[in-house]
Amino acid sequence: MKVLLTITLAFIAIPDAAAETKRPNVVLIITDDQNDYALAESGVQVITPHLDKLKSQSIEFERAYCASPVCGPSRASLFSGLYPHNTGAYFNGADPWLYSEALGKAESLPELFRRGDYHTWGMGKLYHAKLPEDREKKQWDNKASAQGGFAPFPEEEFQFSGKFFSVKEWDGPDTDFPDVKSANAAVEFLNSYQGEKPFFLCYGLWRPHNPWTAPRRFFDLYDPQEIAFPPPGYRADDMADVPPDGKTLAAIFGNRWNKFGDTNKEAWRRIMHGYLACTSFADWNVGRVMQALDESGHGENTIILFTADNGYHLGEKHHYGKSTLWEKSARVPLFARLPGNHNSGTVCKSPVGLIDLFPTLQMTCSLPATPQTLDGHDLSPLLENPKASWPHPAITTYGEGRFSLRTTDWRYIRYPDGREELFDHRNDPNEFTNLADDPATEKLRADFIKKLPEKWHPSLGGRKG
């Protein structure tokens, strides 16, 4: 079946039968901390015209989830095809590519593309972790650069709690932002590339991650009084049925919520405004790269994958940030635009993970086998038919023993002490009502427990949050 689907996609990629063996280019775009607000049913209006256009040309994976709800581990999983519980990369700040034996033996996605005779090009926020010097050189044919990181930061008067937790309209030049510099470089590459090899381009954005600084015109898109506020996923008594470890995760940056949450609604609304402005700013940068791709002539034979490393809470579960096992942290946008706009404008409702992108690209681009056994599943059946049967749940973990599973209808969470959460997404999309103590769900929970990892790799350490 996989062989047949790969052949099918190859024919989709190249209308000319004489060129049917030509492999597609790949453009992978990863934003930072972008939650599901830009999805139609979120209840929060986000102005993202370029992503709306891309979505209309793509298969939208409506239920897409990260393997870890924080930047570095999520990216380590995406680029290695391995779950955190198999590498020990659970937390930010651990530099897993330096210290994980499993990642040391694994071939990264850019390395595989390069070995598979692709020209690789990367820019912006990519791994969010240090790589061994010899491996850094193996990733990209260009000199990849983060272009400066999270800056620009606002002055102290615009800071709620330190320079990261801050909001400001930016009146300096657009090029003060690393995302603009990276987009400029991507546009230049797309306009100039004439190589015989297909290319793998990865553009990593730093926004909408805080600090919530963006050019003023993106703040001006929103009337703060018209923002959906509080967000639909907030409820004042929402933490009443949350197990202790869930409350611990929600309180990782607890001081922020306690000072600038529902007791300070002016600050909360301002933070929402900043996040939405930064999301629209990210959208604008993505649009520039998409326009350059299509105007360059490369677009016809290019697979575009747009996603984010993890989601983000803006008051849902009384939390600012990610680092939880709930929907708002784990869910990410995922659009796949295929050559010839195959299945454009369709929606896939099956639960999928970013872990699945590695084997999907390996199969679709006819890349060689990797030394590591990949944990994900090839999405080719869903690319061919977004309504195809899909038996696999999406799995998210955050630390040893912290496990979350998402099926089409349910989210199941289990903490190290054995406490559980269970949410019926057919009736409770905001995860307000924990059904884990309902005797009627006992068999369902027993089935979900069978999906727990048999072994948990010891943590490599790092910081919480």
Side-chain angles (χ1 to χ4, degrees):
M1 175 63 74
K2 286 185 177 180
V3 173
L4 289 174
L5 286 167
T6 304
I7 292 172
T8 300
L9 287 172
F11 273 93
I12 292 167
I14 304 297
D16 182 355
E20 67 188 30
T21 59
K22 185 177 179 182
R23 294 181 296 168
N25 306 308
V26 176
V27 170
L28 173 61
I29 300 176
I30 309 171
T31 56
D32 196 355
D33 285 6
Q34 184 170 348
N35 67 18
D36 58 6
Y37 285 169
L39 304 181
E41 80 284 3
S42 74
V44 179
Q45 182 184 8
V46 190
I47 300 172
T48 53
H50 304 288
L51 289 180
D52 293 346
K53 178 180 178 181
L54 179 61
K55 182 164 63 173
S56 74
Q57 301 168 337
S58 303
I59 302 170
E60 177 190 356
F61 288 90
E62 190 176 72
R63 297 179 176 91
Y65 299 92
C66 57
S68 171
V70 285
C71 308
S74 175
R75 292 160 187 266
S77 179
L78 189 161
F79 283 125
S80 70
L82 301 176
Y83 277 123
H85 65 259
N86 288 328
T87 67
Y90 300 112
F91 304 119
N92 274 332
D95 286 326
W97 294 92
L98 296 180
Y99 302 114
S100 168
E101 182 178 355
L103 291 178
K105 294 178 179 178
E107 187 170 30
S108 73
L109 187 61
E111 287 171 342
L112 180 63
F113 267 108
R114 210 170 178 198
R115 183 164 66 89
D117 205 29
Y118 269 69
H119 180 93
T120 63
W121 188 96
M123 197 67 68
K125 185 174 183 180
L126 302 172
Y127 285 87
H128 196 49
K130 296 176 182 176
L131 298 178
E133 186 175 349
D134 62 326
R135 290 199 72 169
E136 189 77 54
K137 299 175 182 176
K138 294 178 182 179
Q139 309 296 313
W140 314 105
D141 287 301
N142 69 314
K143 185 173 177 56
S145 169
Q147 298 282 19
F150 295 104
F153 294 96
E155 299 86 347
E156 188 172 348
E157 63 186 288
F158 298 97
Q159 299 175 11
F160 288 106
S161 178
K163 67 178 185 178
F164 275 96
F165 201 65
S166 56
V167 182
K168 185 188 179 186
E169 294 86 346
W170 198 257
D171 292 315
D174 288 356
T175 49
D176 283 346
F177 291 88
D179 290 350
V180 173
K181 296 177 184 177
S182 295
N184 290 347
V187 168
E188 182 180 355
F189 169 79
L190 291 167
N191 287 335
S192 62
Y193 184 70
Q194 297 181 349
E196 294 184 1
K197 296 179 181 180
F199 61 78
F200 169 66
L201 181 153
C202 188
Y203 170 37
L205 290 84
W206 293 90
R207 292 294 183 269
H209 193 294
N210 52 316
W212 294 298
T213 52
R216 182 177 292 274
R217 64 187 183 276
F218 296 101
F219 281 84
D220 291 345
L221 293 174
Y222 299 90
D223 179 346
Q225 300 307 312
E226 297 297 323
I227 292 171
F229 183 82
Y234 165 80
R235 199 168 73 178
D237 63 350
D238 196 15
M239 303 304 286
D241 59 2
V242 173
D245 200 41
K247 292 179 180 177
T248 296
L249 294 182
I252 283 178
F253 298 116
N255 194 46
R256 294 177 177 178
W257 177 253
N258 293 337
K259 287 187 175 182
F260 308 109
D262 50 9
T263 61
N264 187 343
K265 292 187 177 180
E266 182 180 352
W268 186 6
R269 188 187 297 271
R270 175 66 172 158
I271 290 165
M272 286 278 296
H273 189 189
Y275 183 85
L276 297 179
C278 286
T279 303
S280 295
F281 179 37
D283 171 79
W284 176 74
N285 280 296
V286 171
R288 295 173 60 223
V289 175
M290 292 299 91
Q291 181 178 351
L293 173 70
D294 288 335
E295 291 179 354
S296 71
H298 296 302
E300 282 296 315
N301 187 36
T302 297
I303 296 171
I304 301 169
L305 295 171
F306 170 81
T307 191
D309 53 5
N310 49 256
Y312 200 85
H313 295 249
L314 284 152
E316 300 88 355
K317 299 293 182 186
H318 300 194
H319 179 53
Y320 286 126
K322 48 231 180 180
S323 315
T324 77
L325 296 173
W326 295 303
E327 187 85 354
K328 199 57 68 177
S329 268
R331 190 182 186 191
V332 294
L334 177 59
F335 309 148
R337 193 183 94 173
L338 304 179
N341 284 349
H342 182 62
N343 282 327
S344 63
T346 59
V347 175
C348 177
K349 296 183 177 295
S350 297
V352 301
L354 298 187
I355 193 78
D356 300 321
L357 296 185
F358 197 129
T360 303
L361 290 172
Q362 181 186 43
M363 177 63 66
T364 305
C365 299
S366 301
L367 299 174
T370 56
Q372 74 270 31
T373 300
L374 301 176
D375 289 331
H377 303 280
D378 175 19
L379 297 173
S380 293
L382 297 178
L383 298 181
E384 180 58 24
N385 177 10
K387 295 183 179 180
S389 175
W390 186 255
H392 311 292
I395 292 172
T396 303
T397 60
Y398 187 58
E400 295 173 69
R402 288 188 181 132
F403 172 86
S404 183
L405 173 149
R406 185 67 158 85
T407 67
T408 301
D409 296 331
W410 297 90
R411 173 171 298 284
Y412 172 74
I413 298 173
R414 187 177 180 88
Y415 295 102
D417 63 1
R419 304 284 184 92
E420 299 170 302
E421 293 183 85
L422 181 69
F423 302 101
D424 182 353
H425 271 259
R426 294 167 299 185
N427 304 306
D428 184 20
N430 292 308
E431 300 182 339
F432 289 143
T433 305
N434 181 8
L435 300 174
D437 291 335
D438 185 342
T441 67
E442 183 177 358
K443 182 180 184 304
L444 184 66
R445 287 183 287 111
D447 288 340
F448 291 156
I449 288 172
K450 295 175 185 177
K451 301 293 185 181
L452 280 164
E454 294 181 5
K455 294 181 180 180
W456 293 85
H457 192 291
S459 175
L460 298 174
R463 65 180 183 274
K464 305 300 190 292

